[in-house]
Amino acid sequence: MTTPLDVRAAAIARFKAAFPKLRECTDHPGRFDLDELKRWLTQVPSIRVAWLGITRFEDDGAGFVDVECRFAVFVAADNKAGLKGSDAAANLVTALVPLIDRADWGLDDVGPAALIAADNLHDAASDAAGTALWALSWRQSVRLGADLFAADGLVPAHWYAGTGGCYEEVATDAG
């Protein structure tokens, strides 16, 4: 079974492969507070990927639940590479868009990613520090649950049904 954490890990692996010179490309547990952001901005250029939550649950009636997850990749850059931090971050964001759009990350039970937004999180403090921060968010469906027979790939040859302790064979796979 694929989980949202598997999606996050696969996205990080894809981003690391695409941008090997990033100073940091890692997971993040969610949103940032100001102190955490200040610590993170010392490790630029960098990318952090977060699973932000689930917005929809749909039970398929067969033991699976399709959930729509929200993910975000946070991009930080600074002026040190001979390029303004805002331009460096914008370049990373534009390179990330085709990597994310419709990606299923090579995972089973994951629908194609659908981009939601790319937001420039510029403010006076980041400008004064010469850093830039962007958030790129997407939604993606993930099927959760376990198929009773998937672990061993077995399908029973005989099916039984009944009530009150009395069961009779209702189907046979003559194979």
Side-chain angles (χ1 to χ4, degrees):
M1 173 183 73
T2 300
T3 70
L5 296 178
D6 296 326
V7 172
R8 182 180 70 181
I12 291 167
R14 174 89 43 94
F15 301 153
K16 282 182 177 180
F19 309 109
K21 294 186 179 183
L22 287 175
R23 196 152 171 214
E24 181 179 64
C25 183
T26 189
D27 60 57
H28 194 78
R31 301 188 193 290
F32 296 91
D33 65 20
L34 185 57
D35 289 334
E36 186 175 18
L37 186 57
K38 287 177 183 176
R39 283 191 306 276
W40 177 41
L41 289 177
T42 65
Q43 301 294 319
V44 292
S46 62
I47 290 176
R48 291 200 178 184
V49 181
W51 171 35
L52 298 178
I54 297 174
T55 59
R56 182 184 53 84
F57 300 84
E58 186 177 326
D59 186 341
D60 76 347
F64 295 99
V65 178
D66 293 325
V67 297
E68 185 172 279
C69 298
R70 286 180 303 114
F71 296 93
V73 55
F74 298 96
V75 176
D78 64 5
N79 294 331
K80 293 180 184 167
L83 187 64
K84 290 192 315 185
S86 58
D87 291 346
N91 287 343
L92 278 169
V93 168
T94 56
L96 282 164
V97 167
L99 291 177
I100 296 170
D101 189 42
R102 295 183 304 276
D104 66 7
W105 315 107
L107 299 172
D108 293 333
D109 300 323
V110 174
L115 289 165
I116 297 171
D119 296 306
N120 184 341
L121 305 177
H122 175 82
D123 64 9
S126 64
D127 190 46
T131 58
L133 183 66
W134 279 73
L136 185 58
S137 56
W138 74 94
R139 65 181 187 274
Q140 191 149 27
S141 66
V142 179
R143 175 163 278 194
L144 302 177
D147 182 338
L148 178 61
F149 308 110
D152 296 321
L154 300 177
V155 176
H158 304 276
W159 290 86
Y160 297 87
T163 60
C166 298
Y167 299 96
E168 71 179 80
E169 189 172 17
V170 294
T172 301
D173 179 11

